[in-house]
Amino acid sequence: NISIVPYIYNMEEVMNLADIVVARSGAMTITEVAKCGKPAIFIPYPFATENHQEYNARVLVNAGAAKIILDKDLNKEILNRTIEEMLNNKEKLKQMGKNAEKVSIKNVEEKIYKEIENVIK
């Protein structure tokens, strides 16, 4: 069962229901994937300034939490094969999710609040 949607307003809710996230790799998407602890397949937007989406994706790839398919290499066979390989290895999929969570910064709201307090003082 696959759902393809153009934009999601309730991202955390939808990601929590997903087994694998397939998405571009903007900074917020990387953050949300890590926070939700989801394995992912990233397809970096090739025209992003200074290729930053690929660099973003590599953070989770290097952590063992995601795979990358470059836009120039993307086709239905490669995407389907990558999804199937991930879904067929439940233990690895679970570990990828745990690895994603390890990258997530905890207590972010509190850290931002403390930084704002320090600036105001």
Side-chain angles (χ1 to χ4, degrees):
N1 295 329
I2 295 175
S3 293
I4 299 172
V5 294
Y7 190 82
I8 299 171
Y9 291 95
N10 55 336
M11 186 65 72
E12 185 176 4
E13 181 182 334
V14 173
M15 279 191 187
N16 281 322
L17 297 171
D19 294 319
I20 299 172
V21 174
V22 179
R24 293 290 191 186
S25 46
M28 288 307 300
T29 301
I30 298 293
T31 301
E32 290 162 334
V33 166
K35 187 159 176 33
C36 290
K38 292 295 175 175
I41 299 169
F42 293 117
I43 304 158
Y45 181 62
F47 304 108
T49 305
E50 297 179 6
N51 200 30
H52 78 269
Q53 285 206 5
E54 185 175 341
Y55 293 114
N56 292 346
R58 296 233 178 255
V59 170
L60 289 183
V61 169
N62 292 340
K67 295 187 177 285
I68 290 180
I69 301 173
L70 297 178
D71 200 81
K72 67 181 178 64
D73 299 329
L74 181 64
N75 62 49
K76 66 181 179 182
E77 289 82 16
I78 289 173
L79 181 58
N80 192 49
R81 183 175 58 238
T82 305
I83 291 170
E84 284 182 357
E85 286 172 0
M86 290 173 72
L87 287 176
N88 287 332
N89 190 339
K90 297 293 183 194
E91 259 326 291
K92 184 172 183 183
L93 200 64
K94 187 176 179 180
Q95 187 58 52
M96 289 176 80
K98 288 179 182 178
N99 293 343
E101 236 177 337
K102 289 178 189 174
V103 173
S104 176
I105 299 171
K106 310 294 183 235
N107 303 319
V108 146
E109 297 87 357
E110 186 175 324
K111 290 176 183 180
I112 292 171
Y113 179 79
K114 286 181 181 180
E115 286 300 316
I116 291 170
E117 274 189 325
N118 289 335
V119 170
I120 294 173
K121 289 181 182 179

